[in-house]
Amino acid sequence: MALNPTTLINQALALAQQGASKHELPVAAILVNAQGEVIAQAHNLVETQQNPLAHAEMLVLQQAAAQGHKYLQECTIAVTLEPCPMCAAALCHARIGTIIFGAYDAKSGGTTNGPQVPQHMHHKPKILGGIEEQACRQQLQTFFQSLRS
Amino acid sequence: MALNPTTLINQALALAQQGASKHELPVAAILVNAQGEVIAQAHNLVETQQNPLAHAEMLVLQQAAAQGHKYLQECTIAVTLEPCPMCAAALCHARIGTIIFGAYDAKSGGTTNGPQVPQHMHHKPKILGGIEEQACRQQLQTFFQSLRS
């Protein structure tokens, strides 16, 4: 029932940690409606599914569409990492109301970094980045350190 | 067994026409391996599936991943319309070797128009646009005219 950005990102962080424990890049997304009810949630499944498109945001959008939610104007998605260009464009295609994300991604992000995809799309969601940024960044750094050790 | 760009786009045009007959935006994609064998093919299914992500290219990539083809360095995709930013990024994530497309899309394209997504991605496919451009453009125009009449 939460629409508080910090609360949503913390929920996503917990879900991303479940992904990390399955050797997935710890990124997770939670989609809520205007009442703050969770419609869909997922962590990355690229390794599990051996599918380079299985980003958390795409999985969440597919779940929403499968439930009959073609467009999501009243909805908010909270993601632990800045969406990449694919996910940013997909969120615009789905007419998402608001994108909240944690860590900025200067290398692979496509929302406020890189190609800044939403600026080129017909539908332009509200974007709120850097929520619980340090915790989100730390989660990714810890994961990459564990890969190297 | 065709790797000839014109032949591939004409195959995609025929598939797109099947989509138009089901009231789908006539856009289709065909994925072939280095031997020119078709791995996957699809036309848009946005209306049928009520899913704004069901672009031809995404459906083809999902089919390929489901068949165990996580990465597609040796493959070529032929699409009747310039891929949008979502599809362009997805094709780069899948490390596609070559993108061939028909009509340029100045309004919604994201490959050579708009955000020019591949320029921002780690993997940069070869891109060959404007193949059978007039036929591809005409197919879309005819579809839009039929909607208005």
Side-chain angles (χ1 to χ4, degrees):
Chain A
M1 296 293 176
L3 271 175
N4 177 288
T6 302
T7 306
L8 285 172
I9 289 289
N10 276 300
Q11 288 176 359
L13 273 166
L15 186 57
Q17 197 55 42
Q18 293 178 29
S21 69
K22 299 174 204 162
H23 310 290
E24 292 286 352
L25 182 72
V27 180
I30 295 182
L31 180 71
V32 296
N33 65 14
Q35 288 73 47
E37 296 160 343
V38 175
I39 293 176
Q41 54 186 325
H43 60 64
N44 266 28
L45 284 173
V46 169
E47 298 306 321
T48 305
Q49 296 189 354
Q50 287 291 294
N51 181 345
L53 312 190
H55 290 195
E57 303 94 314
M58 301 301 279
L59 298 171
V60 157
L61 290 172
Q62 296 288 5
Q63 285 178 35
Q67 291 172 39
H69 303 292
K70 184 176 180 185
Y71 296 123
L72 306 169
Q73 291 96 331
E74 306 297 320
C75 294
T76 295
I77 193 168
V79 198
T80 54
L81 180 66
E82 179 186 346
C84 78
M86 171 181 73
C87 295
L91 290 164
C92 294
H93 283 318
R95 303 182 194 167
I96 191 97
T98 303
I99 301 172
I100 296 169
F101 68 83
Y104 287 93
D105 187 351
K107 190 178 156 208
S108 303
T111 305
T112 59
N113 277 295
Q116 302 179 16
V117 166
Q119 292 193 16
H120 297 271
M121 305 293 287
H122 180 69
H123 173 83
K124 293 175 177 58
K126 288 179 213 156
I127 298 168
L128 192 58
I131 306 300
E132 296 283 60
E133 160 140 57
Q134 195 179 343
C136 291
R137 201 167 0 100
Q138 185 61 53
Q139 186 181 51
L140 286 158
Q141 285 174 349
T142 301
F143 178 76
F144 285 120
Q145 281 163 4
S146 75
L147 290 185
R148 284 188 213 103
S149 61
Chain B
M1 298 294 174
L3 272 176
N4 178 287
T6 302
T7 306
L8 284 173
I9 289 290
N10 275 300
Q11 289 176 0
L13 272 166
L15 186 57
Q17 197 56 42
Q18 294 179 27
S21 70
K22 299 175 204 162
H23 311 290
E24 292 287 351
L25 183 73
V27 180
I30 294 182
L31 181 71
V32 296
N33 64 16
Q35 289 73 47
E37 297 160 342
V38 175
I39 292 178
Q41 54 186 323
H43 59 65
N44 267 28
L45 284 173
V46 169
E47 297 306 322
T48 305
Q49 296 189 355
Q50 288 291 294
N51 183 345
L53 312 190
H55 290 195
E57 302 94 313
M58 301 301 279
L59 298 171
V60 157
L61 289 173
Q62 297 287 4
Q63 285 177 37
Q67 290 172 40
H69 302 293
K70 184 176 180 186
Y71 295 122
L72 305 169
Q73 289 98 331
E74 305 297 319
C75 295
T76 295
I77 193 167
V79 198
T80 55
L81 181 66
E82 178 185 345
C84 79
M86 171 181 73
C87 295
L91 290 164
C92 294
H93 283 317
R95 303 183 194 168
I96 191 97
T98 304
I99 301 172
I100 295 169
F101 68 84
Y104 287 93
D105 187 351
K107 191 179 155 208
S108 304
T111 306
T112 59
N113 277 295
Q116 302 179 18
V117 166
Q119 291 193 18
H120 297 270
M121 304 293 287
H122 180 70
H123 174 84
K124 293 176 176 58
K126 289 180 213 154
I127 298 168
L128 193 59
I131 305 300
E132 295 286 62
E133 160 139 57
Q134 194 177 344
C136 291
R137 203 168 355 104
Q138 185 62 54
Q139 187 182 50
L140 285 159
Q141 286 174 349
T142 301
F143 177 77
F144 286 120
Q145 282 162 5
S146 75
L147 289 185
R148 285 187 212 101
S149 63

